[in-house]
Amino acid sequence: MFELILIDLPNLRRLEASEPVDLGGMQTVDGALPPARVATHALAQIDVGTPARWCAPFLIVSRNAVLGTCRFRAAPADGRVEIGYGVAGSQRGRGVATEAVRQLLEIATSSGLVKEVVARIVPENAASSKVVSRLGFSKGDLLVDHDGQTLAQWSLRIAT
């Protein structure tokens, strides 16, 4: 029903510059693409040799329309990888994020590099917390990120 397509380098650069992306005729639902800072972060990681699949956003596509994006925030380190995801407001509540995270888990598992997947979620974001809870993540401690924002850390151990 949903497919993940890794965004290519030219479109990643367009996103960083807040320019229109060229998705080959695919429609983009309003609010589906990530902010420029996500592209900037991914491009910086690619520049130091991180493979794109571990830092660039994946487009969440259904019926030739981009509904949102998801990604790994960096390459696995010590068997651990963090994920992030976002879905256009008009597409929420339809299982889009759940399916996208499920597919990220498949990628992480099949890599052989990941033993734990982590998602850091604003505690007030009940919908996002439900997504990871539904997929078997356990809620851990609250932490404060580099921006001073309090986040709940959710984690899922991968069976090896």
Side-chain angles (χ1 to χ4, degrees):
M1 185 195 291
F2 303 107
E3 177 183 13
L4 299 187
I5 300 172
L6 189 63
I7 195 160
D8 61 25
L9 204 51
N11 278 316
L12 200 53
R13 287 191 179 107
R14 288 183 189 105
L15 276 175
E16 181 183 39
S18 298
E19 296 173 354
V21 295
D22 177 9
L23 300 176
M26 276 193 279
Q27 296 178 7
T28 303
V29 176
D30 189 40
L33 295 176
R37 65 180 164 73
V38 170
T40 299
H41 179 76
L43 287 166
Q45 288 189 58
I46 290 168
D47 285 346
V48 297
T50 303
R53 79 180 194 148
W54 292 116
C55 59
F58 288 88
L59 303 172
I60 306 168
V61 178
S62 177
R63 297 188 191 126
N64 208 36
V66 178
L67 309 179
T69 60
C70 60
R71 68 185 175 116
F72 298 103
R73 294 189 182 269
D78 299 323
R80 188 178 211 206
V81 71
E82 183 180 349
I83 62 169
Y85 50 93
V87 176
S90 66
Q91 302 301 307
R92 293 179 185 152
R94 297 181 37 217
V96 175
T98 301
E99 181 57 27
V101 171
R102 181 178 287 122
Q103 289 185 37
L104 284 179
L105 291 173
E106 289 174 13
I107 293 167
T109 300
S110 68
S111 75
L113 301 171
V114 177
K115 295 177 184 168
E116 182 180 27
V117 178
V118 173
R120 294 180 177 160
I121 300 170
V122 175
E124 297 78 22
N125 188 340
S128 196
S129 295
K130 281 183 186 178
V131 167
V132 293
S133 177
R134 188 178 297 129
L135 292 170
F137 284 68
S138 298
K139 186 176 181 181
D141 295 332
L142 294 178
L143 54 94
V144 178
D145 71 3
H146 62 279
D147 293 328
Q149 185 172 36
T150 299
L151 302 170
Q153 181 159 293
W154 291 79
S155 62
L156 176 69
R157 302 284 300 158
I158 304 279
T160 53

